[in-house]
Amino acid sequence: MTNGNQQSLESLSSAKGRDDVDVGDGPPAPERSEAAGLEAITARSRQVVDLAGEYYLLYRLDTRDHPAQLCIEAYYHADPEQLRRWRCAGGPPELVSPALLEQTLACSRSMTVGPVEPPSDRVASSTWGRSAAVLAPLTTSHGDPIGVLVVGGERESGGDRSRLLALVETLADDLAVRLENAELREQLQTMRTQLERTIDLQDHVTSVVTHELRSPLSTIQLLAQLLRREAPHADDPNQTAASENILTRADSLERQVRRMSSLIDRLSEVAKLSSSHLELQPRDVDLVALVEDVLETYRDSDTVSDVHLEAPNAVRGEWDPNYLERAVSNLVDNAVAYGEDRPIVITLDSNDNHCDVYIRDHGHGLPEDEHDRLFERFECGGHANSEEGLGVGLWVSRRIVEAFGGSLTMTSISGEGTECHMRLPRRVS
Amino acid sequence: MQVNDTMTTRILVVEDEDDLRHSISDILEIEGYHTMGACNGREALECLHEQERPELILLDLLMPEMDGWTFRERQRACADFATIPLVVFTGVTLSDDDRDTLAPVEILEKPVLMDDLLDMVASQVEGA
């Protein structure tokens, strides 16, 4: 090795971690190496070989087999004719014994092999020279062995072998980082693919299940109505009792159908909100009018006896009215369910940037340690006077409000009631 | 709608659930409509070719052998039947693409109420 070569080795060493090394015509490395983004580092390995040796071999520990085996990941020979022969043969011959490779891997220490004495205490035997080679282990950031880099050849070095050894070790460290990153990327991609498949499957199952449930519900619904229609006429004194029984049972059937239908709607909604990005269709909305519309449906159904709305004449903003109505309805549902039939107060406030909606009931309140849990799916608090909930209302509302760029929080005092606070930016960001 | 008005009105009910198909048919028959039943798209196409032309088709979407989308495609490809109005009767939430593809005159979501079913059929038959 010449002084000029030594200088080049230093510059190579200082290029650690950089990706701007010219790859040239490309190494005869297997495709997997290219895919793993190792081009730059294998190019530097080739430069080291061109300066100080004849070939390099990159072994990777393949853990898919049991026991794990070292397999050639990439290779290069400075002599084009020799390289061609290796390619034709499908890879290099056994230039380093498997025992030495395994020893390097097991000890996690570099070593040189060759006919002369070792240049440093890190070297197991011999020095750089004829048939010499440097073996450096590749280990992950956690210290797990993942491969071995071999740089070797028949060139007389005559230079600073410890410098060369250090350079090969540096290369091995870089390779290890890149291999580990490539593996992590691969694992991440696999997990992502699996997750996407799971979500697709969940969507499919939910769609099929809800469809399959709706069909029998339709049958029951229509049969109940047929039953009512065909019941003996109530005017017939001999049939009055029978008619009342049939009508009562038809009522029960229809009530249960409505309940199941509502549960199925909720399940479909949860599946939809869980798996997909909400496609909001914002437009100019008067929040006060929207809340009044929601409350109107409760007043019509006599489920709420006392609701106070404290709001200015109008609070306008740009939101998706369907989703917003859903979010508000869920919160009012909860206030009704947990409000012990006491007054419910809804307060609206706004400034130039955002609107605040406070929905307060005067029920038993909810223990503070339950608040976070209640925002999860399928979680119900105690004291609800409704059996129809799936425990998804708060989760759905928060999901919608957050899609608007807002926030939903809850405060509750035992014995005094619960207040939900929805803050909405005036426009969906 | 009076029975006399409905006696000649034929409705093809395409639904794979036997009980549901029979219930719908019963309700429509009580109102005086004449119904034909098919349990999938393939049977529905056979009905169109072999029986009297219906004035309205009530179509479920998710069915074995031939689903509602395929049936609709075949129906519209056949000049004799392409103009028969279609009511989609489904438990599936339709996307905008589905609505464009199927181009139904009406969509009934399951579970359907008897009055809604009869009102819809009456309005379609009257408007025809």
Side-chain angles (χ1 to χ4, degrees):
Chain A
M1 189 184 299
T2 66
N3 287 339
N5 281 350
Q6 285 179 38
Q7 201 140 20
S8 294
L9 285 176
E10 280 172 7
S11 67
L12 280 172
S13 187
S14 66
K16 176 178 184 290
R18 287 170 50 194
D19 285 345
D20 55 357
V21 179
D22 182 18
V23 175
D25 294 330
E31 198 177 339
R32 188 175 165 201
S33 171
E34 303 284 344
L38 300 172
E39 297 88 345
I41 198 76
T42 50
R44 281 224 302 290
S45 304
R46 288 205 313 281
Q47 286 178 300
V48 172
V49 168
D50 288 341
L51 291 166
E54 290 217 328
Y55 65 85
Y56 82 77
L57 312 171
L58 171 61
Y59 290 87
R60 191 171 179 180
L61 194 62
D62 190 345
T63 52
R64 289 171 299 187
D65 290 336
H66 296 286
Q69 295 198 338
L70 278 168
C71 304
I72 285 275
E73 174 83 15
Y75 56 86
Y76 172 71
H77 200 290
D79 177 1
E81 180 54 31
Q82 184 63 41
L83 184 57
R84 192 190 61 76
R85 281 199 290 273
W86 283 9
R87 276 178 174 165
C88 290
E94 192 178 279
L95 296 165
V96 181
S97 77
L100 276 176
L101 291 171
E102 281 166 19
Q103 188 184 341
T104 306
L105 202 63
C107 301
S108 286
R109 291 182 61 185
S110 305
M111 65 172 71
T112 63
V113 291
V116 288
E117 63 185 33
S120 79
D121 60 353
R122 300 184 70 178
V123 175
S125 65
S126 304
T127 62
W128 194 253
R130 187 175 179 79
S131 299
V134 175
L135 285 70
L138 275 61
T139 54
T140 67
S141 53
H142 301 293
D144 299 324
I146 53 171
V148 178
L149 175 66
V150 179
V151 176
E154 298 181 348
R155 187 174 303 188
E156 288 293 335
S157 67
D160 186 343
R161 297 180 187 96
S162 62
R163 191 189 298 274
L164 180 66
L165 184 64
L167 181 60
V168 174
E169 285 174 343
T170 302
L171 280 171
D173 288 346
D174 268 9
L175 273 168
V177 169
R178 285 166 191 267
L179 282 173
E180 188 179 11
N181 286 346
E183 202 143 290
L184 288 173
R185 273 197 300 275
E186 209 169 282
Q187 285 173 7
L188 199 62
Q189 186 57 41
T190 304
M191 287 167 69
R192 189 176 170 170
T193 306
Q194 284 173 343
L195 189 63
E196 285 170 353
R197 280 187 192 148
T198 304
I199 289 170
D200 286 347
L201 182 66
Q202 177 187 307
D203 284 351
H204 179 68
V205 168
T206 305
S207 168
V208 170
V209 166
T210 52
H211 171 265
E212 293 302 320
L213 288 174
R214 281 193 171 111
S215 288
L217 268 189
S218 279
T219 311
I220 298 168
Q221 172 81 57
L222 293 175
L223 287 175
Q225 290 182 302
L226 267 179
L227 199 63
R228 183 196 303 283
R229 187 185 179 117
E230 294 176 344
H233 204 279
D235 292 345
D236 182 347
N238 298 323
Q239 300 285 339
T240 303
S243 174
E244 279 179 4
N245 282 342
I246 290 172
L247 292 177
T248 304
R249 285 163 190 161
D251 282 346
S252 298
L253 278 172
E254 289 188 78
R255 205 164 38 246
Q256 293 306 315
V257 167
R258 281 197 297 277
R259 186 179 168 200
M260 274 198 75
S261 184
S262 164
L263 293 174
I264 292 169
D265 287 345
R266 282 300 176 96
L267 274 177
S268 298
E269 185 179 44
V270 169
K272 187 178 169 191
L273 293 176
S274 299
S275 61
S276 60
H277 174 71
L278 264 61
E279 288 183 15
L280 301 174
Q281 297 179 320
R283 60 180 170 85
D284 184 49
V285 173
D286 177 6
L287 184 57
V288 179
L290 184 142
V291 173
E292 279 177 343
D293 284 348
V294 169
L295 295 181
E296 203 59 39
T297 61
Y298 288 90
R299 291 188 182 115
D300 288 347
S301 63
D302 291 332
T303 50
V304 181
S305 56
D306 197 1
V307 183
H308 303 283
L309 174 61
E310 297 170 1
N313 288 333
V315 174
R316 307 205 77 86
E318 283 188 12
W319 305 291
D320 183 315
N322 293 324
Y323 277 117
L324 185 53
E325 186 179 325
R326 193 87 207 120
V328 173
S329 292
N330 286 341
L331 298 180
V332 178
D333 274 345
N334 278 350
V336 172
Y338 293 95
E340 299 290 317
D341 294 327
R342 292 172 190 151
I344 294 167
V345 180
I346 301 176
T347 311
L348 267 65
D349 198 4
S350 68
N351 63 23
D352 289 343
N353 299 319
H354 59 256
C355 308
D356 292 303
V357 183
Y358 300 89
I359 299 173
R360 179 176 179 78
D361 69 56
H362 294 84
H364 286 287
L366 298 158
E368 196 173 343
D369 58 1
E370 286 191 7
H371 292 187
D372 287 342
R373 180 179 65 79
L374 291 172
F375 279 102
E376 298 298 323
R377 282 170 289 185
F378 309 112
E379 293 288 354
C380 293
H383 302 299
N385 61 8
S386 163
E387 294 178 354
E388 298 194 0
L390 269 181
V392 295
L394 274 178
W395 179 84
V396 167
S397 292
R398 179 179 265 185
R399 176 87 174 86
I400 291 170
V401 170
E402 287 179 350
F404 287 175
S407 61
L408 177 62
T409 54
M410 181 170 70
T411 52
S412 188
I413 299 173
S414 186
E416 293 187 19
T418 302
E419 181 177 84
C420 285
H421 172 208
M422 184 164 70
R423 170 161 286 187
L424 297 167
R426 288 275 193 160
R427 285 176 182 74
V428 175
S429 50
Chain B
M1 177 166 290
Q2 298 302 307
V3 171
N4 285 344
D5 296 326
T6 62
M7 279 303 285
T8 55
T9 303
R10 286 170 301 280
I11 299 171
L12 174 58
V13 181
V14 193
E15 164 64 57
D16 62 323
E17 294 270 343
D18 292 346
D19 286 341
L20 183 53
R21 190 175 65 255
H22 292 148
S23 300
I24 294 170
S25 298
D26 285 351
I27 288 167
L28 294 172
E29 296 269 349
I30 288 168
E31 283 296 306
Y33 296 101
H34 177 70
T35 63
M36 301 179 283
C39 65
N40 58 52
R42 185 186 53 73
E43 275 194 15
L45 286 174
E46 286 172 8
C47 275
L48 289 179
H49 285 284
E50 294 168 9
Q51 299 187 35
E52 280 193 78
R53 187 181 193 274
E55 276 74 39
L56 187 67
I57 300 171
L58 264 176
L59 179 73
D60 185 23
L61 292 177
L62 293 178
M63 295 178 291
E65 288 196 52
M66 184 188 288
D67 62 24
W69 288 273
T70 310
F71 165 78
R72 180 59 166 165
E73 193 184 334
R74 304 269 174 92
Q75 181 221 337
R76 296 177 91 184
C78 181
D80 290 344
F81 312 122
T83 56
I84 303 173
L86 174 88
V87 173
V88 168
F89 175 66
T90 183
V92 178
T93 303
L94 295 187
S95 65
D96 290 342
D97 284 348
D98 285 332
R99 289 168 190 266
D100 290 343
T101 307
L102 294 163
V105 291
E106 194 79 56
I107 297 167
L108 281 180
E109 290 186 358
K110 296 176 182 177
V112 67
L113 297 173
M114 186 167 69
D115 289 346
D116 291 346
L117 172 70
L118 292 174
D119 288 349
M120 184 278 305
V121 171
S123 69
Q124 292 305 323
V125 170
E126 280 170 359

